[in-house]
Amino acid sequence: LARRFCVEPAPAATDEPKPDEDETWLGRLLRDLMERFWRWLTQRSDRPVRELPERQLDAALPGANVVIAVSVALVLAILAYAAWQLRRRPAADASDQDDSATAPTPLLVDASNALTKAPESWAGLADELAARGELREAVRHLYLALLSRLHRDGAIDYEPTASNWDYLKTFRGPQERKPTFRELTVGFDFAWYGQVPVSLAAWQQFRSLAGHFLSPTPHEAKRA
């Protein structure tokens, strides 16, 4: 009787498959994930939950391993590229600083008020900008020279908050010059505010039209 009670009972039979000793942790993880996905998919379709057959799992694992390997390789490639870019950035910043050190000094000075400079000064800056090929900026400086000249001549009352078309409406200069002033205003608005590229021919025409206003008055010429 003692011998009977000392005998360990035989393990109960179970339907659960024994884990494969040769299966890697990655394989077990993929198997578990695919089983969870299968259960979720069958629940979504209102079909009874069924275990994924063993042969389907074995057939799917090699393809899943390939996908993971490709994904890991892609992530490593992205990280390597980011590290390479970070190593290149100091050199690029240094070259940008060198370029900024040799870049020409901007000529635009307080363009919000045309009366901060004499008409001749604005016109001189405009010619320098045109020589550099910065024709839009040259047009802007020359228009400031025009406003400065018209204010000095009493043709307009310059006010920084007024628009160019306000000056045209209240123009008190010779009426035969008003169409030219209108043409210069239209050209400036298109070039500066409309950001329309200015060709060399357009700049030369703008410079020629503005020259009719920018010549010194007899009083100024006599004083000079």
Side-chain angles (χ1 to χ4, degrees):
L1 291 175
R3 184 177 301 174
R4 288 179 55 190
F5 288 106
C6 290
V7 175
E8 295 181 359
T14 177
D15 295 333
E16 296 182 358
K18 295 183 179 180
D20 189 357
E21 297 296 334
D22 296 331
E23 187 178 17
T24 62
W25 66 270
L26 182 60
R28 291 193 297 270
L29 177 61
L30 289 173
R31 185 185 299 276
D32 180 67
L33 291 176
M34 294 184 70
E35 289 179 351
R36 291 174 181 269
F37 175 74
W38 180 259
R39 293 191 184 96
W40 174 82
L41 186 61
T42 54
Q43 290 175 359
R44 293 283 294 180
S45 59
D46 295 328
R47 290 182 296 180
V49 177
R50 294 180 298 177
E51 296 293 335
L52 191 64
E54 189 75 17
R55 60 177 180 273
Q56 294 185 15
L57 285 172
D58 294 338
L61 282 176
N65 289 332
V66 171
V67 172
I68 291 179
V70 172
S71 301
V72 171
L74 182 61
V75 171
L76 291 177
I78 293 175
L79 292 177
Y81 178 76
W84 178 68
Q85 288 291 336
L86 290 176
R87 292 184 62 183
R88 288 183 65 252
R89 183 170 298 175
D93 294 342
S95 62
D96 292 342
Q97 293 177 0
D98 294 340
D99 294 341
S100 62
T102 58
T105 305
L107 296 177
L108 187 59
V109 180
D110 192 14
S112 61
N113 192 330
L115 302 184
T116 56
K117 288 185 178 297
E120 297 78 12
S121 298
W122 286 121
L125 292 175
D127 291 336
E128 291 184 38
L129 287 166
R132 294 184 183 182
E134 302 176 21
L135 299 181
R136 287 185 62 248
E137 288 76 6
V139 167
R140 185 186 190 189
H141 281 68
L142 194 60
Y143 195 80
L144 290 171
L146 174 64
L147 295 180
S148 179
R149 166 56 60 191
L150 292 177
H151 177 79
R152 289 171 179 250
D153 293 345
I156 63 172
D157 292 325
Y158 180 79
E159 173 61 41
T161 59
S163 70
N164 299 327
W165 297 98
D166 292 334
Y167 301 138
L168 186 63
K169 293 176 182 178
T170 59
F171 183 75
R172 297 190 300 270
Q175 292 303 303
E176 62 272 12
R177 287 191 170 186
K178 189 172 183 179
T180 304
F181 182 35
R182 179 184 292 107
E183 185 175 355
L184 289 169
T185 301
V186 171
F188 167 75
D189 282 356
F190 272 99
W192 189 250
Y193 297 114
Q195 297 185 357
V196 176
V198 179
S199 64
L200 181 59
W203 157 252
Q204 292 173 347
Q205 182 180 5
F206 193 88
R207 186 69 174 86
S208 176
L209 291 175
H212 298 297
F213 293 91
L214 297 178
S215 56
T217 62
H219 176 71
E220 290 176 338
K222 182 178 179 181
R223 185 177 58 185

